[in-house]
Amino acid sequence: MLEALSFDFMRNALLAGLFASVACGIIGVLVVVNRLVFLAGGVAHAAYGGVGLAFFLGLPVLPATLGFTVFSALAMGTATLRRTERADTMIGVMWAAGMALGIILIDLTPGYNTDLMSFLFGSILTVPGADVWRMAVLDAAILGLVLYYYKQLAAMSFDREFSEVRGAPVVFLHYLLLAMTAVSVVMLIRVVGLILVMALLTIPPYLAERRVSSLWAMMALSTLLSILFCMAGLCVAYRLDLTSGASIIAVAVIVFAAAGLFDALRARLSGHQPAPGNGDGP
Amino acid sequence: MTEPVVRVRGVSFSYDGQNALSGVDLDVGRGDFLAVLGPNGGGKTTLLRLILGLLRPVEGTVRVFGQEPDRARGRVGYVPQQVAGGMLRRDFPITVREVVLMGLLGPGRPGGWRGFWWGAADRKRADAALEKVEMDRYAGRRFPALSGGQQKRVLIARSLVADPELLILDEPTANIDPQGKFCFHQVLSRLTREVTTIAVSHDLSLLTAGVTAVACVNNALIHNPAPELTPEMIALIYGVHSHQCPMDAFIRGIPSMLDVQRAAVGGPHA
């Protein structure tokens, strides 16, 4: 395995996995605890509309996709701001519309330009060095923003109504989170593909949630788990000559299932379920 | 004559044409512990939201510390019925102390909004607030792992940590079993001697928690500067709006509450 590290592409793949994990670990936690997983999925799929638009209009791909995706995220965010029942439907509509728009625009664009497969699965093994460093910059920006707004983000995630009554800029934070999600998703899809981005945004946070007692610890553990999954997945893919993205997901899912089984067994063996809430004195 | 902490004059409010409150007048003085009682759907939550500034009256005025309610928010501590509107994730990673520290965020703390770390002075304040509700031993515990009554006390500490001049409690003993309620009422009784409090409840047992005044709300409001239900209040409950379900726990509880009142000569407040 170590001889693989002598290859540039392998080193870049590992670095890409590392930087993707940091972004997904931090943003994924906020997405999961704020119950925005479906919205994140919508944003990720709608991003393809941005890709199509870029090719159709002859614009540079990355900025156009970023612009389109951030716009879609903010639009979906308006639907979810007051948690209306129709929010899920709106997201579903935009999810499908974005993808369809992208596919049709690319159909209409003459010549070879891009294919859906690399959007879905990325190409972690063909990541150019420049993209890796762009991801590092993205990570630094996310880290900076989340550290700066941490107390408010944590308060909003825990108890939005209270934060609002206390004057927290809940609306601003809601949109900020969605914008950060959109930017992360676009950057990461280029490298690891849509499917892996959704997996890394959700599985490590779900694993981390009940094993820590503060939000920043959940982010740290999530990031760590994500890095481990990427490393292990890349190893497996290298050894067994499998698709790397799918191998990373497979590792993550196996660990997720194992952890679930472990928790269930432990609850069964200790003979009780966690006690339901009841009033009591000091 | 000191100005009342809360002054409500001639207030009416309707939801989509459904009239919730009409012609409501209320004064809450400094040091009062006012219980706002009434059946579900009678308008007491609406009154609460008007005082908090979350709603604006259709008619009349609401003044808190002489100002519009949303300007007075920095001086008001609000304890909601449930955290996160009942939507709290079962595994949300947060400690009791962190929940209380959250109460320091708000108007008048511009620097404190930013950043990641809470200083030692803030942590001390949080621990002091936890002591007031007898939850200091639980400071490092995970909040979702607590029982309903324990969580409610932590939420009160969260409001206390910012030294509010008015404390507003929404259904403080909902989700607490009768045993827990007794302890809770004792904690409440002690706390409310230090801060003006308004508690909205459909549970009449709140009257045993050191209440100094009662307001009964059922579309209209009747105020009594003593912790007792008057005959006019009883009439208000039974007389207005026949759509009030007679099986409402509040209404069922009135006869036994009147017995308690007759028995408790001199009142429960000390």
Side-chain angles (χ1 to χ4, degrees):
Chain A
M1 177 59 210
L2 283 176
E3 76 274 10
L5 290 176
S6 63
F7 293 117
D8 258 354
F9 76 83
M10 202 57 191
R11 280 203 306 275
N12 280 347
L14 287 167
L15 279 175
L18 171 69
F19 292 137
S21 299
V22 171
C24 286
I26 296 173
I27 298 293
V29 163
L30 290 170
V31 163
V32 165
V33 301
N34 282 288
R35 294 193 170 95
L36 296 172
V37 175
F38 191 62
L39 190 145
V43 169
H45 285 83
Y48 201 60
V51 174
L53 210 60
F55 280 107
F56 188 69
L57 297 177
L59 303 169
V61 178
L62 184 58
T65 314
L66 275 173
F68 182 86
T69 313
V70 171
F71 172 77
S72 317
L74 298 182
M76 286 188 221
T78 313
T80 55
L81 193 58
R82 294 297 163 199
R83 303 203 176 270
T84 57
E85 265 76 58
R86 277 187 300 142
D88 269 5
T89 318
M90 292 303 296
I91 294 169
V93 168
M94 288 170 146
W95 175 315
M99 273 233 103
L101 179 72
I103 292 170
I104 288 175
L105 286 176
I106 285 178
D107 282 348
L108 293 174
T109 308
Y112 177 79
N113 30 56
T114 186
D115 70 306
L116 199 49
M117 286 302 285
S118 70
F119 181 82
L120 290 175
F121 294 104
S123 41
I124 195 170
L125 294 176
T126 61
V127 176
D131 271 2
V132 172
W133 297 119
R134 281 200 193 99
M135 289 173 69
V137 169
L138 170 75
D139 282 357
I142 288 177
L143 213 59
L145 280 169
V146 170
L147 275 174
Y148 187 70
Y149 288 110
Y150 179 76
K151 284 178 193 164
Q152 300 170 63
L153 284 168
M156 181 184 82
S157 306
F158 173 70
D159 192 344
R160 177 177 284 218
E161 193 194 56
F162 179 82
S163 307
E164 219 167 345
V165 169
R166 294 298 293 172
V170 163
V171 173
F172 165 72
L173 290 173
H174 181 78
Y175 284 121
L176 177 68
L177 178 55
L178 295 180
M180 287 198 290
T181 306
V183 171
S184 309
V185 155
V186 169
M187 295 298 300
L188 294 164
I189 284 178
R190 281 163 64 79
V191 174
V192 300
L194 171 64
I195 313 293
L196 184 58
V197 166
M198 290 312 296
L200 286 181
L201 273 179
T202 54
I203 296 180
Y206 278 129
L207 279 169
E209 194 172 24
R210 69 178 70 173
R211 290 164 227 285
V212 294
S213 47
S214 43
L215 207 62
W216 62 263
M218 186 174 165
M219 290 177 185
L221 183 56
S222 239
T223 302
L224 192 65
L225 286 170
S226 199
I227 291 173
L228 288 173
F229 295 154
C230 286
M231 305 279 140
L234 284 169
C235 278
V236 166
Y238 181 80
R239 281 318 204 97
L240 305 178
D241 197 21
L242 300 170
T243 308
S244 7
S247 308
I248 295 173
I249 299 173
V251 170
V253 171
I254 289 171
V255 171
F256 184 76
L261 254 148
F262 177 72
D263 285 340
L265 266 170
R266 193 172 50 166
R268 191 66 74 83
L269 284 175
S270 55
H272 71 277
Q273 295 292 331
N278 60 352
D280 62 0
Chain B
M1 177 73 176
T2 50
E3 204 184 284
V5 170
V6 175
R7 166 156 282 175
V8 176
R9 281 287 176 270
V11 160
S12 299
F13 191 85
S14 306
Y15 289 105
D16 290 331
Q18 282 271 59
N19 185 244
L21 291 172
S22 7
V24 167
D25 290 331
L26 178 68
D27 274 355
V28 181
R30 234 170 244 284
D32 276 359
F33 176 12
L34 174 73
V36 177
L37 303 174
N40 290 319
K44 54 183 197 305
T45 309
T46 308
L47 180 62
L48 181 81
R49 296 181 87 82
L50 286 164
I51 294 174
L52 283 171
L54 297 172
L55 295 174
R56 300 187 142 261
V58 169
E59 281 171 24
T61 60
V62 179
R63 291 287 176 269
V64 179
F65 298 111
Q67 300 173 304
E68 290 278 343
D70 46 7
R71 290 178 152 273
R73 276 199 193 145
R75 300 158 80 175
V76 177
Y78 167 53
V79 184
Q81 182 176 346
Q82 286 173 297
V83 66
M87 297 263 294
L88 181 66
R89 291 177 69 87
R90 211 174 40 110
D91 295 321
F92 194 101
I94 192 166
T95 59
V96 164
R97 186 182 284 119
E98 279 174 332
V99 173
V100 176
L101 282 167
M102 216 172 269
L104 287 171
L105 296 173
R109 240 197 99 94
W113 277 115
R114 304 283 180 245
F116 176 80
W117 196 252
W118 291 102
D122 288 335
R123 287 165 177 271
K124 273 217 191 97
R125 287 175 71 178
D127 288 345
L130 281 169
E131 238 180 293
K132 283 197 195 153
V133 296
E134 296 174 23
M135 287 295 293
D136 41 305
R137 282 191 294 129
Y138 295 81
R141 293 265 212 102
R142 286 175 113 246
F143 179 84
L146 300 180
S147 70
Q150 292 172 322
Q151 286 189 359
K152 188 53 74 77
R153 279 188 277 159
V154 172
L155 293 188
I156 293 181
R158 180 177 69 171
S159 289
L160 288 176
V161 75
D163 290 324
E165 294 172 64
L166 170 65
L167 195 62
I168 296 186
L169 306 168
D170 188 0
E171 301 282 355
T173 54
N175 314 319
I176 306 181
D177 69 68
Q179 183 113 6
K181 255 187 236 183
F182 180 71
C183 296
F184 194 87
H185 285 153
Q186 291 191 311
V187 170
L188 209 55
S189 180
R190 238 176 315 108
L191 274 176
T192 53
R193 286 187 209 136
E194 295 171 22
V195 61
T196 311
T197 306
I198 301 175
V200 167
S201 182
H202 66 266
D203 184 350
L204 285 163
S205 66
L206 186 64
L207 288 173
T208 61
V211 165
T212 64
V214 179
C216 213
V217 180
N218 192 7
N219 192 272
L221 183 148
I222 297 181
H223 179 260
N224 183 18
E228 286 168 3
L229 291 181
T230 63
E232 293 79 20
M233 288 174 169
I234 308 296
L236 176 67
I237 300 305
Y238 285 111
V240 178
H241 290 310
S242 55
H243 77 264
Q244 293 298 337
C245 174
M247 295 314 290
D248 187 287
F250 179 83
I251 294 171
R252 274 189 282 126
I254 287 179
S256 50
M257 198 62 224
L258 292 175
D259 287 335
V260 171
Q261 274 181 194
R262 280 186 220 113
V265 179
H269 49 286

